[in-house]
Amino acid sequence: MTAFVRACALGELEENTPKRVEIDGTPVAVVRTEGEVFAINDVCSHANVSLSEGEVEDCQIECWLHGSAFDLRTGKPSGLPATRPVPVYPVKIEGDDVLVSLTQES
């Protein structure tokens, strides 16, 4: 069974503004965009920097250091220099709570 943990309150999430949280020592960027909430590992697979410091557009989060963008649904990079995806995690909303499971979706 997948264990979900409270990451933050839904009200804490601004549209297209990533929020960094830690779940069991794992850095996670939680993003509210296009009417959905996504959770993606907060470490760029190319440069080991925080993705939550980047910008969100078209359901992608961009690494602020070198410009690689990752799909919030799949974790796959859309261009260089990153070539490896980052993990994305299941999210569910219960009331005002955003719950995330560290079980990877991809």
Side-chain angles (χ1 to χ4, degrees):
M1 183 165 167
T2 304
F4 282 86
V5 177
R6 185 182 186 279
C8 62
L10 187 60
E12 293 176 44
L13 298 176
E14 295 181 38
E15 186 77 9
N16 296 324
T17 302
K19 178 175 182 61
R20 184 183 193 280
V21 298
E22 272 204 25
I23 300 173
D24 295 331
T26 300
V28 177
V30 181
V31 181
R32 184 180 199 169
T33 187
E34 299 182 8
E36 294 185 65
V37 177
F38 300 93
I40 189 167
N41 191 282
D42 193 36
V43 180
C44 177
S45 64
H46 168 256
N48 197 30
V49 297
S50 178
L51 290 175
S52 62
E53 295 178 28
E55 295 184 11
V56 174
E57 187 175 339
D58 297 328
C59 214
Q60 295 188 33
I61 189 166
E62 183 180 72
C63 177
W64 61 269
L65 188 58
H66 294 117
S68 288
F70 298 88
D71 189 303
L72 290 168
R73 298 165 291 227
T74 65
K76 293 180 181 173
S78 62
L80 298 173
T83 58
R84 291 178 292 124
V86 295
V88 295
Y89 307 109
V91 174
K92 67 181 181 179
I93 309 299
E94 288 185 357
D96 189 45
D97 292 331
V98 176
L99 306 175
V100 174
S101 172
L102 290 185
T103 302
Q104 288 182 226
E105 288 187 342
S106 68

Coordinates of all heavy atoms in Angstrom, one line a residue:
M1 N 0.8 -1.2 0.0 CA 0.0 0.0 0.0 C 0.9 1.2 0.0 O 1.9 1.3 0.7 CB -0.9 0.0 1.2 CG -1.8 1.1 1.3 SD -3.1 0.8 2.5 CE -3.8 2.4 2.6
T2 N 0.5 2.2 -0.8 CA 1.2 3.5 -0.9 C 0.9 4.4 0.3 O -0.2 4.7 0.6 CB 0.8 4.2 -2.2 OG1 1.0 3.3 -3.3 CG2 1.6 5.5 -2.4
A3 N 2.0 4.8 1.0 CA 1.8 5.7 2.2 C 1.9 7.1 1.7 O 2.9 7.5 1.1 CB 2.9 5.4 3.2
F4 N 0.9 7.9 2.0 CA 0.9 9.3 1.7 C 1.2 10.1 2.9 O 0.7 9.8 4.0 CB -0.5 9.7 1.1 CG -0.6 9.4 -0.3 CD1 -1.1 8.1 -0.7 CD2 -0.3 10.3 -1.3 CE1 -1.3 7.8 -2.0 CE2 -0.5 9.9 -2.7 CZ -1.0 8.7 -3.0
V5 N 2.0 11.2 2.8 CA 2.4 12.0 3.9 C 2.0 13.5 3.5 O 2.1 13.9 2.4 CB 3.9 12.0 4.1 CG1 4.4 12.9 5.1 CG2 4.4 10.5 4.4
R6 N 1.5 14.2 4.6 CA 1.2 15.6 4.3 C 2.4 16.4 4.0 O 3.4 16.4 4.7 CB 0.5 16.2 5.6 CG 0.0 17.6 5.3 CD -0.6 18.2 6.6 NE -1.2 19.5 6.4 CZ -0.6 20.6 6.3 NH1 0.8 20.7 6.4 NH2 -1.2 21.8 6.1
A7 N 2.4 17.1 2.8 CA 3.5 17.9 2.3 C 3.3 19.4 2.7 O 4.2 20.0 3.1 CB 3.7 17.7 0.8
C8 N 2.0 19.8 2.6 CA 1.7 21.2 2.8 C 0.2 21.4 2.7 O -0.5 20.5 2.4 CB 2.4 22.2 1.9 SG 2.0 21.9 0.1
A9 N -0.2 22.6 3.0 CA -1.6 23.0 2.8 C -1.8 23.4 1.4 O -1.0 24.1 0.8 CB -2.1 24.1 3.8
L10 N -2.9 23.1 0.8 CA -3.3 23.5 -0.6 C -3.2 25.0 -0.7 O -2.7 25.6 -1.7 CB -4.6 23.0 -1.0 CG -5.0 23.2 -2.5 CD1 -4.1 22.5 -3.4 CD2 -6.4 22.6 -2.7
G11 N -3.7 25.7 0.4 CA -3.7 27.2 0.4 C -2.3 27.8 0.4 O -2.1 29.0 0.1
E12 N -1.3 27.0 0.7 CA 0.1 27.5 0.7 C 0.7 27.6 -0.7 O 1.7 28.2 -0.9 CB 1.0 26.6 1.5 CG 0.7 26.7 3.0 CD 1.6 25.7 3.8 OE1 2.8 25.6 3.5 OE2 1.1 24.9 4.6
L13 N 0.0 26.9 -1.7 CA 0.6 26.8 -3.0 C 0.0 27.9 -3.9 O -1.2 28.0 -4.1 CB 0.2 25.5 -3.6 CG 0.8 24.3 -2.9 CD1 0.3 23.0 -3.6 CD2 2.3 24.3 -2.9
E14 N 0.9 28.8 -4.4 CA 0.6 29.8 -5.4 C 0.7 29.2 -6.8 O 1.6 28.4 -7.0 CB 1.5 31.0 -5.3 CG 1.3 31.8 -4.0 CD 2.3 33.0 -3.9 OE1 2.4 33.6 -4.9 OE2 2.8 33.2 -2.8
E15 N -0.2 29.6 -7.7 CA -0.2 29.0 -9.0 C 1.2 29.3 -9.7 O 1.7 30.4 -9.6 CB -1.3 29.7 -9.9 CG -1.4 29.2 -11.3 CD -2.2 27.9 -11.3 OE1 -2.7 27.4 -10.3 OE2 -2.2 27.3 -12.4
N16 N 1.8 28.2 -10.2 CA 3.1 28.3 -11.0 C 4.3 28.7 -10.1 O 5.3 29.2 -10.6 CB 3.0 29.2 -12.2 CG 2.0 28.6 -13.2 OD1 1.9 27.4 -13.4 ND2 1.3 29.5 -13.9
T17 N 4.1 28.5 -8.8 CA 5.2 28.9 -7.9 C 5.6 27.6 -7.1 O 4.8 27.2 -6.2 CB 4.9 30.0 -6.9 OG1 4.5 31.2 -7.7 CG2 6.0 30.4 -6.0
P18 N 6.7 27.0 -7.4 CA 7.1 25.8 -6.7 C 7.3 26.0 -5.2 O 7.8 27.1 -4.8 CB 8.4 25.3 -7.3 CG 8.5 26.1 -8.6 CD 7.7 27.4 -8.4
K19 N 7.0 25.0 -4.4 CA 7.2 25.1 -2.9 C 8.1 23.9 -2.6 O 7.7 22.7 -2.9 CB 5.9 25.0 -2.1 CG 6.1 25.0 -0.6 CD 4.8 25.1 0.1 CE 5.0 25.1 1.6 NZ 5.7 26.3 2.1
R20 N 9.2 24.1 -1.9 CA 10.1 23.0 -1.5 C 9.7 22.5 -0.2 O 9.5 23.3 0.8 CB 11.6 23.6 -1.4 CG 12.6 22.5 -1.1 CD 14.0 23.1 -1.0 NE 15.0 22.0 -1.0 CZ 15.3 21.3 0.1 NH1 14.7 21.5 1.2 NH2 16.3 20.4 0.0
V21 N 9.6 21.2 -0.1 CA 9.3 20.5 1.2 C 10.2 19.3 1.3 O 10.8 18.9 0.3 CB 7.8 20.0 1.2 CG1 6.8 21.2 1.2 CG2 7.5 19.0 0.2
E22 N 10.4 18.8 2.5 CA 11.2 17.6 2.7 C 10.2 16.5 3.3 O 9.5 16.8 4.2 CB 12.3 17.8 3.6 CG 13.5 18.3 2.9 CD 14.8 18.0 3.7 OE1 14.9 17.1 4.5 OE2 15.8 18.7 3.4
I23 N 10.3 15.4 2.7 CA 9.5 14.2 3.1 C 10.5 13.1 3.4 O 11.1 12.6 2.5 CB 8.4 13.8 2.1 CG1 7.5 15.0 1.8 CG2 7.7 12.6 2.5 CD1 6.5 14.7 0.7
D24 N 10.6 12.7 4.7 CA 11.5 11.7 5.1 C 12.9 11.9 4.5 O 13.5 11.0 4.0 CB 11.0 10.3 4.6 CG 9.7 9.9 5.3 OD1 9.5 10.4 6.5 OD2 8.9 9.1 4.8
G25 N 13.3 13.2 4.6 CA 14.7 13.5 4.1 C 14.8 13.7 2.6 O 15.9 14.0 2.1
T26 N 13.8 13.5 1.9 CA 13.8 13.7 0.4 C 13.3 15.0 0.0 O 12.2 15.4 0.4 CB 13.0 12.6 -0.3 OG1 13.5 11.3 0.0 CG2 13.0 12.8 -1.8
P27 N 14.1 15.9 -0.7 CA 13.6 17.2 -1.1 C 12.6 17.0 -2.3 O 12.9 16.3 -3.3 CB 14.9 17.9 -1.6 CG 15.8 16.8 -2.0 CD 15.5 15.6 -1.1
V28 N 11.4 17.6 -2.1 CA 10.4 17.5 -3.1 C 9.9 18.9 -3.5 O 9.7 19.8 -2.6 CB 9.2 16.7 -2.6 CG1 8.0 16.6 -3.5 CG2 9.7 15.3 -2.2
A29 N 9.7 19.2 -4.8 CA 9.1 20.4 -5.2 C 7.6 20.1 -5.5 O 7.3 19.3 -6.3 CB 9.7 21.0 -6.5
V30 N 6.7 20.9 -4.8 CA 5.3 20.7 -5.0 C 4.8 21.9 -5.8 O 5.1 23.1 -5.4 CB 4.5 20.6 -3.6 CG1 3.0 20.5 -3.8 CG2 5.1 19.5 -2.8
V31 N 4.1 21.7 -6.9 CA 3.7 22.7 -7.8 C 2.2 22.6 -8.1 O 1.7 21.6 -8.4 CB 4.5 22.6 -9.1 CG1 4.1 23.7 -10.1 CG2 6.0 22.6 -8.8
R32 N 1.5 23.8 -8.0 CA 0.1 23.9 -8.4 C 0.1 24.6 -9.8 O 0.6 25.8 -9.8 CB -0.6 24.7 -7.4 CG -2.1 24.8 -7.6 CD -2.7 25.6 -6.5 NE -4.2 25.4 -6.5 CZ -4.9 25.8 -5.5 NH1 -4.4 26.4 -4.4 NH2 -6.2 25.6 -5.5
T33 N -0.4 24.0 -10.8 CA -0.4 24.6 -12.1 C -1.5 23.9 -13.0 O -1.8 22.7 -12.8 CB 1.0 24.5 -12.8 OG1 0.9 25.2 -14.0 CG2 1.4 23.1 -13.1
E34 N -2.1 24.6 -13.8 CA -3.1 24.1 -14.8 C -4.2 23.3 -14.1 O -4.6 22.3 -14.6 CB -2.4 23.3 -15.9 CG -1.4 24.2 -16.7 CD -0.8 23.4 -17.8 OE1 -1.2 22.3 -18.1 OE2 0.1 24.0 -18.4
G35 N -4.6 23.7 -12.8 CA -5.7 23.1 -12.1 C -5.3 21.8 -11.4 O -6.2 21.1 -10.9
E36 N -4.0 21.5 -11.4 CA -3.6 20.2 -10.7 C -2.4 20.5 -9.8 O -1.8 21.6 -9.9 CB -3.1 19.2 -11.8 CG -4.2 18.7 -12.7 CD -3.7 17.6 -13.6 OE1 -3.4 16.5 -13.1 OE2 -3.7 17.8 -14.8
V37 N -2.1 19.6 -9.0 CA -0.9 19.7 -8.1 C 0.0 18.5 -8.4 O -0.4 17.4 -8.5 CB -1.3 19.6 -6.6 CG1 -0.1 19.7 -5.7 CG2 -2.3 20.8 -6.3
F38 N 1.3 18.8 -8.5 CA 2.3 17.8 -8.9 C 3.4 17.8 -7.8 O 3.7 18.9 -7.2 CB 2.9 18.2 -10.2 CG 1.9 18.2 -11.4 CD1 1.3 19.4 -11.8 CD2 1.6 17.0 -12.0 CE1 0.4 19.4 -12.8 CE2 0.7 17.1 -13.1 CZ 0.1 18.3 -13.5
A39 N 4.1 16.7 -7.7 CA 5.2 16.6 -6.8 C 6.4 15.9 -7.6 O 6.2 14.9 -8.3 CB 4.9 15.7 -5.6
I40 N 7.5 16.6 -7.6 CA 8.7 16.1 -8.4 C 9.9 16.3 -7.5 O 10.0 17.2 -6.6 CB 8.8 17.0 -9.7 CG1 9.9 16.4 -10.6 CG2 9.0 18.5 -9.4 CD1 9.8 17.0 -12.0
N41 N 10.8 15.4 -7.6 CA 12.1 15.5 -6.9 C 12.7 16.8 -7.1 O 12.7 17.3 -8.2 CB 13.0 14.3 -7.2 CG 14.2 14.2 -6.3 OD1 15.1 15.0 -6.3 ND2 14.1 13.3 -5.4
D42 N 13.2 17.4 -6.0 CA 13.6 18.8 -6.1 C 15.1 19.0 -6.5 O 15.7 20.0 -6.3 CB 13.4 19.5 -4.7 CG 13.6 21.0 -4.8 OD1 13.2 21.6 -5.9 OD2 14.1 21.6 -3.9
V43 N 15.7 17.9 -7.0 CA 17.1 18.0 -7.4 C 17.2 17.7 -8.9 O 16.8 16.7 -9.4 CB 17.9 17.0 -6.6 CG1 19.4 17.1 -7.1 CG2 17.8 17.2 -5.1
C44 N 17.8 18.7 -9.6 CA 18.0 18.6 -11.1 C 18.9 17.4 -11.3 O 20.0 17.2 -10.7 CB 18.6 19.9 -11.6 SG 19.0 19.8 -13.4
S45 N 18.6 16.6 -12.3 CA 19.4 15.4 -12.6 C 20.7 15.8 -13.3 O 21.6 15.0 -13.5 CB 18.6 14.4 -13.5 OG 18.3 15.0 -14.8
H46 N 20.9 17.0 -13.8 CA 22.1 17.4 -14.5 C 23.1 18.1 -13.5 O 24.3 17.9 -13.6 CB 21.7 18.4 -15.6 CG 22.9 19.1 -16.2 ND1 23.2 20.4 -15.9 CD2 23.9 18.7 -17.0 CE1 24.3 20.8 -16.6 NE2 24.7 19.7 -17.2
A47 N 22.6 19.0 -12.7 CA 23.5 19.9 -11.9 C 23.4 19.8 -10.4 O 24.0 20.6 -9.7 CB 23.4 21.3 -12.4
N48 N 22.5 19.0 -9.9 CA 22.4 18.8 -8.4 C 22.0 20.2 -7.8 O 22.6 20.5 -6.7 CB 23.6 18.2 -7.8 CG 23.4 17.7 -6.4 OD1 22.3 17.3 -6.1 ND2 24.4 17.7 -5.6
V49 N 21.1 20.9 -8.4 CA 20.6 22.1 -7.8 C 19.0 22.0 -7.6 O 18.4 21.2 -8.2 CB 20.9 23.4 -8.6 CG1 22.4 23.6 -8.7 CG2 20.3 23.3 -10.0
S50 N 18.5 22.9 -6.8 CA 17.1 22.9 -6.4 C 16.2 23.3 -7.6 O 16.3 24.5 -8.0 CB 16.8 23.7 -5.2 OG 15.5 23.7 -4.9
L51 N 15.3 22.4 -8.0 CA 14.3 22.8 -9.1 C 13.3 23.8 -8.6 O 12.8 24.5 -9.4 CB 13.7 21.5 -9.7 CG 14.5 20.6 -10.5 CD1 13.8 19.3 -10.8 CD2 15.1 21.3 -11.7
S52 N 13.0 23.8 -7.3 CA 12.0 24.6 -6.8 C 12.3 26.1 -6.9 O 11.5 27.0 -6.7 CB 11.6 24.3 -5.3 OG 12.7 24.4 -4.5
E53 N 13.6 26.4 -7.2 CA 14.0 27.8 -7.4 C 13.8 28.2 -8.8 O 14.1 29.4 -9.2 CB 15.5 28.0 -7.0 CG 15.7 27.7 -5.5 CD 17.2 27.8 -5.1 OE1 17.9 28.6 -5.8 OE2 17.5 27.2 -4.1
G54 N 13.3 27.3 -9.7 CA 13.1 27.6 -11.1 C 11.7 28.1 -11.4 O 10.9 28.2 -10.5
E55 N 11.4 28.3 -12.6 CA 10.1 28.8 -13.1 C 9.3 27.7 -13.6 O 9.8 26.7 -14.1 CB 10.3 29.9 -14.1 CG 10.9 31.1 -13.6 CD 11.0 32.3 -14.6 OE1 10.4 32.2 -15.7 OE2 11.7 33.2 -14.3
V56 N 7.9 27.8 -13.5 CA 7.0 26.8 -14.0 C 6.2 27.4 -15.2 O 5.7 28.6 -15.1 CB 6.0 26.4 -12.9 CG1 5.0 25.5 -13.5 CG2 6.8 25.7 -11.8
E57 N 6.1 26.7 -16.3 CA 5.4 27.1 -17.4 C 5.0 25.9 -18.3 O 5.9 25.0 -18.4 CB 6.2 28.1 -18.3 CG 5.4 28.7 -19.4 CD 6.2 29.8 -20.1 OE1 7.1 30.4 -19.6 OE2 5.8 30.1 -21.3
D58 N 3.8 25.8 -18.8 CA 3.4 24.7 -19.7 C 3.6 23.4 -19.0 O 4.1 22.4 -19.7 CB 4.0 24.8 -21.0 CG 3.7 26.1 -21.8 OD1 2.5 26.5 -21.6 OD2 4.5 26.6 -22.5
C59 N 3.3 23.2 -17.8 CA 3.4 22.0 -17.0 C 4.9 21.5 -17.0 O 5.1 20.3 -16.9 CB 2.5 20.9 -17.5 SG 1.8 19.9 -16.2
Q60 N 5.8 22.4 -17.0 CA 7.2 22.1 -16.9 C 7.9 23.0 -15.8 O 7.4 24.1 -15.6 CB 7.9 22.3 -18.2 CG 7.5 21.3 -19.3 CD 8.4 21.4 -20.5 OE1 9.6 21.7 -20.4 NE2 7.8 21.3 -21.7
I61 N 8.9 22.4 -15.2 CA 9.7 23.2 -14.2 C 11.1 23.3 -14.8 O 11.6 22.4 -15.2 CB 9.6 22.6 -12.8 CG1 10.3 23.5 -11.8 CG2 10.3 21.2 -12.8 CD1 10.0 23.1 -10.3
E62 N 11.6 24.6 -14.8 CA 12.9 24.8 -15.4 C 13.9 25.0 -14.3 O 13.8 25.7 -13.4 CB 12.8 26.1 -16.2 CG 14.1 26.4 -17.0 CD 14.0 27.6 -17.8 OE1 14.0 28.7 -17.2 OE2 13.9 27.5 -19.0
C63 N 15.1 24.3 -14.5 CA 16.2 24.5 -13.7 C 16.8 25.8 -13.9 O 17.1 26.2 -15.0 CB 17.2 23.4 -13.9 SG 18.7 23.5 -12.9
W64 N 17.0 26.6 -12.8 CA 17.4 28.0 -13.0 C 18.9 28.1 -13.4 O 19.3 29.1 -13.9 CB 17.2 28.7 -11.6 CG 18.0 28.1 -10.5 CD1 17.6 27.1 -9.6 CD2 19.3 28.4 -10.1 NE1 18.5 26.8 -8.8 CE2 19.7 27.5 -9.0 CE3 20.3 29.3 -10.6 CZ2 20.9 27.5 -8.4 CZ3 21.5 29.3 -9.9 CH2 21.8 28.4 -8.8
L65 N 19.7 27.0 -13.2 CA 21.1 27.1 -13.4 C 21.5 27.0 -14.9 O 22.2 27.8 -15.5 CB 21.9 26.0 -12.6 CG 23.4 26.1 -12.6 CD1 23.9 27.5 -12.1 CD2 24.0 25.0 -11.8
H66 N 21.0 25.9 -15.6 CA 21.3 25.7 -17.0 C 20.1 25.7 -17.9 O 20.3 25.5 -19.1 CB 22.1 24.4 -17.1 CG 23.5 24.5 -16.4 ND1 23.8 23.6 -15.4 CD2 24.5 25.3 -16.6 CE1 25.0 23.9 -15.0 NE2 25.5 24.9 -15.7
G67 N 18.9 25.8 -17.4 CA 17.8 25.9 -18.3 C 17.1 24.6 -18.7 O 16.2 24.7 -19.5
S68 N 17.5 23.5 -18.2 CA 16.8 22.3 -18.5 C 15.4 22.3 -17.9 O 15.3 22.8 -16.8 CB 17.5 21.0 -18.0 OG 18.7 20.8 -18.7
A69 N 14.4 21.9 -18.6 CA 13.0 21.9 -18.1 C 12.6 20.4 -18.0 O 12.9 19.6 -18.8 CB 12.1 22.6 -19.1
F70 N 11.8 20.1 -17.0 CA 11.3 18.8 -16.7 C 9.8 18.8 -16.6 O 9.2 19.7 -16.0 CB 11.9 18.3 -15.3 CG 13.4 18.2 -15.3 CD1 14.1 19.3 -14.9 CD2 14.0 17.0 -15.6 CE1 15.5 19.2 -14.9 CE2 15.4 16.9 -15.6 CZ 16.2 18.0 -15.3
D71 N 9.2 17.8 -17.3 CA 7.8 17.7 -17.3 C 7.3 17.3 -15.9 O 7.8 16.3 -15.3 CB 7.4 16.6 -18.3 CG 5.9 16.5 -18.6 OD1 5.1 16.3 -17.6 OD2 5.5 16.6 -19.7
L72 N 6.3 18.0 -15.4 CA 5.9 17.8 -14.0 C 5.1 16.5 -13.9 O 4.9 15.9 -12.9 CB 5.0 18.9 -13.5 CG 5.7 20.2 -13.3 CD1 4.8 21.4 -13.1 CD2 6.6 20.1 -12.0
R73 N 4.6 16.0 -15.1 CA 3.8 14.7 -15.1 C 4.7 13.5 -15.1 O 4.4 12.5 -14.6 CB 2.8 14.7 -16.3 CG 1.8 15.9 -16.2 CD 1.1 16.0 -17.5 NE 2.1 16.5 -18.5 CZ 1.9 17.5 -19.3 NH1 0.7 18.1 -19.4 NH2 2.9 17.9 -20.1
T74 N 5.8 13.6 -15.9 CA 6.6 12.4 -16.1 C 8.1 12.5 -15.5 O 8.8 11.5 -15.4 CB 6.8 12.2 -17.6 OG1 7.5 13.3 -18.2 CG2 5.4 12.0 -18.3
G75 N 8.5 13.8 -15.3 CA 9.9 14.0 -14.8 C 10.9 14.0 -16.0 O 12.1 14.2 -15.7
K76 N 10.5 13.8 -17.2 CA 11.4 13.7 -18.3 C 11.9 15.1 -18.7 O 11.1 16.0 -18.8 CB 10.7 13.0 -19.5 CG 10.5 11.6 -19.3 CD 9.8 10.9 -20.4 CE 9.5 9.4 -20.1 NZ 8.8 8.8 -21.2
P77 N 13.2 15.2 -19.0 CA 13.7 16.5 -19.5 C 13.2 16.8 -20.9 O 13.1 15.9 -21.7 CB 15.2 16.4 -19.4 CG 15.4 14.9 -19.6 CD 14.2 14.2 -19.0
S78 N 13.0 18.1 -21.2 CA 12.6 18.4 -22.6 C 13.7 18.9 -23.4 O 13.5 19.2 -24.6 CB 11.5 19.5 -22.5 OG 12.0 20.7 -21.9
G79 N 14.9 19.0 -22.9 CA 16.0 19.5 -23.6 C 17.3 19.4 -22.8 O 17.3 19.2 -21.6
L80 N 18.4 19.6 -23.5 CA 19.7 19.6 -22.9 C 19.9 20.8 -22.0 O 19.2 21.8 -22.1 CB 20.8 19.6 -24.0 CG 20.7 18.4 -24.9 CD1 21.7 18.5 -26.0 CD2 21.0 17.1 -24.1
P81 N 20.8 20.8 -21.0 CA 21.8 19.7 -20.9 C 21.4 18.5 -20.1 O 22.1 17.5 -20.1 CB 23.0 20.4 -20.1 CG 22.3 21.5 -19.3 CD 21.1 21.9 -20.2
A82 N 20.2 18.5 -19.5 CA 19.8 17.3 -18.7 C 19.4 16.2 -19.7 O 18.7 16.5 -20.7 CB 18.6 17.6 -17.8
T83 N 19.7 15.0 -19.4 CA 19.3 13.8 -20.3 C 18.6 12.8 -19.5 O 18.0 11.9 -20.0 CB 20.6 13.2 -20.9 OG1 21.5 12.8 -19.9 CG2 21.3 14.2 -21.9
R84 N 18.7 12.8 -18.1 CA 18.0 11.9 -17.3 C 16.8 12.5 -16.6 O 16.8 13.6 -16.2 CB 19.0 11.4 -16.2 CG 20.1 10.5 -16.7 CD 21.0 10.1 -15.6 NE 21.8 11.2 -15.1 CZ 21.8 11.6 -13.8 NH1 21.2 11.0 -12.9 NH2 22.5 12.7 -13.5
P85 N 15.7 11.7 -16.5 CA 14.5 12.2 -15.8 C 14.7 12.3 -14.3 O 15.7 11.7 -13.8 CB 13.4 11.2 -16.1 CG 14.2 10.0 -16.5 CD 15.5 10.4 -17.0
V86 N 13.9 13.1 -13.6 CA 13.9 13.1 -12.2 C 12.6 12.4 -11.7 O 11.6 12.4 -12.4 CB 14.0 14.6 -11.6 CG1 15.3 15.2 -12.0 CG2 12.9 15.4 -12.1
P87 N 12.6 11.9 -10.5 CA 11.4 11.2 -10.1 C 10.2 12.1 -9.8 O 10.4 13.2 -9.4 CB 11.8 10.6 -8.7 CG 13.3 10.5 -8.8 CD 13.7 11.7 -9.6
V88 N 9.0 11.6 -10.2 CA 7.8 12.3 -9.8 C 7.0 11.4 -8.9 O 7.2 10.2 -8.9 CB 6.9 12.7 -11.1 CG1 7.6 13.7 -12.0 CG2 6.5 11.4 -11.9
Y89 N 6.2 12.0 -8.1 CA 5.5 11.3 -7.0 C 4.0 11.5 -7.0 O 3.5 12.5 -7.4 CB 6.0 11.7 -5.6 CG 7.5 11.7 -5.5 CD1 8.3 12.9 -5.5 CD2 8.2 10.5 -5.5 CE1 9.7 12.9 -5.4 CE2 9.6 10.5 -5.4 CZ 10.3 11.6 -5.3 OH 11.7 11.6 -5.2
P90 N 3.2 10.4 -6.6 CA 1.8 10.5 -6.6 C 1.4 11.6 -5.6 O 2.0 11.8 -4.5 CB 1.3 9.2 -6.1 CG 2.5 8.3 -6.3 CD 3.7 9.1 -6.2
V91 N 0.3 12.3 -5.9 CA -0.3 13.4 -5.1 C -1.8 13.2 -4.9 O -2.4 12.8 -5.9 CB 0.0 14.8 -5.7 CG1 -0.8 15.9 -4.9 CG2 1.4 15.1 -5.9
K92 N -2.3 13.4 -3.7 CA -3.7 13.4 -3.6 C -4.1 14.6 -2.6 O -3.2 15.0 -1.8 CB -4.3 12.1 -3.1 CG -3.9 11.6 -1.8 CD -4.6 10.2 -1.5 CE -4.3 9.7 -0.2 NZ -4.9 8.4 0.1
I93 N -5.2 15.1 -2.8 CA -5.7 16.2 -2.0 C -6.8 15.7 -1.1 O -7.8 15.1 -1.6 CB -6.3 17.4 -2.9 CG1 -5.3 17.8 -4.0 CG2 -6.7 18.6 -2.1 CD1 -3.9 18.3 -3.5
E94 N -6.7 16.0 0.2 CA -7.7 15.7 1.2 C -8.0 17.0 1.9 O -7.2 17.4 2.7 CB -7.3 14.6 2.1 CG -7.2 13.2 1.5 CD -6.9 12.1 2.4 OE1 -6.7 12.4 3.6 OE2 -6.9 10.9 2.0
G95 N -9.2 17.5 1.6 CA -9.5 18.8 2.2 C -8.6 19.9 1.8 O -8.4 20.1 0.6
D96 N -7.8 20.5 2.7 CA -6.8 21.5 2.4 C -5.4 20.9 2.4 O -4.4 21.6 2.3 CB -6.9 22.7 3.3 CG -6.1 23.9 2.8 OD1 -6.1 24.2 1.6 OD2 -5.3 24.5 3.7
D97 N -5.3 19.6 2.6 CA -4.0 19.0 2.7 C -3.5 18.4 1.4 O -4.3 17.7 0.7 CB -4.0 17.8 3.8 CG -4.2 18.3 5.2 OD1 -3.8 19.5 5.5 OD2 -4.8 17.6 6.0
V98 N -2.3 18.7 1.1 CA -1.6 18.1 -0.1 C -0.8 16.9 0.4 O 0.1 17.1 1.2 CB -0.7 19.1 -0.8 CG1 0.0 18.4 -2.0 CG2 -1.5 20.3 -1.3
L99 N -1.2 15.7 0.0 CA -0.5 14.5 0.4 C 0.4 14.0 -0.7 O -0.1 13.9 -1.9 CB -1.5 13.5 0.9 CG -2.5 13.9 1.9 CD1 -3.5 12.8 2.2 CD2 -1.8 14.3 3.2
V100 N 1.6 13.5 -0.4 CA 2.5 13.0 -1.4 C 3.0 11.7 -0.9 O 3.3 11.5 0.3 CB 3.7 14.0 -1.6 CG1 4.8 13.4 -2.5 CG2 3.2 15.4 -2.1
S101 N 3.2 10.8 -1.8 CA 3.8 9.5 -1.6 C 5.2 9.4 -2.2 O 5.3 9.8 -3.4 CB 2.9 8.3 -2.1 OG 3.6 7.1 -2.0
L102 N 6.2 9.0 -1.5 CA 7.5 8.9 -2.1 C 7.6 7.7 -3.1 O 8.7 7.5 -3.7 CB 8.6 8.8 -1.1 CG 8.8 10.2 -0.3 CD1 10.0 10.1 0.6 CD2 9.0 11.3 -1.3
T103 N 6.6 6.9 -3.2 CA 6.6 5.9 -4.2 C 6.6 6.5 -5.6 O 5.7 7.3 -5.9 CB 5.3 5.0 -4.1 OG1 5.3 4.4 -2.8 CG2 5.3 3.9 -5.1
Q104 N 7.6 6.2 -6.4 CA 7.8 6.9 -7.7 C 6.7 6.5 -8.7 O 6.4 5.3 -8.8 CB 9.1 6.6 -8.3 CG 10.2 7.3 -7.6 CD 11.6 7.0 -8.2 OE1 12.5 6.7 -7.5 NE2 11.7 7.2 -9.5
E105 N 6.2 7.5 -9.4 CA 5.3 7.1 -10.5 C 6.1 6.9 -11.8 O 5.8 6.1 -12.7 CB 4.3 8.3 -10.8 CG 3.3 8.4 -9.7 CD 2.2 9.4 -10.1 OE1 2.4 10.2 -10.9 OE2 1.1 9.3 -9.5
S106 N 7.3 7.6 -11.9 CA 8.2 7.3 -13.0 C 9.6 7.6 -12.6 O 9.9 8.1 -11.6 CB 7.8 8.2 -14.2 OG 8.0 9.6 -13.9

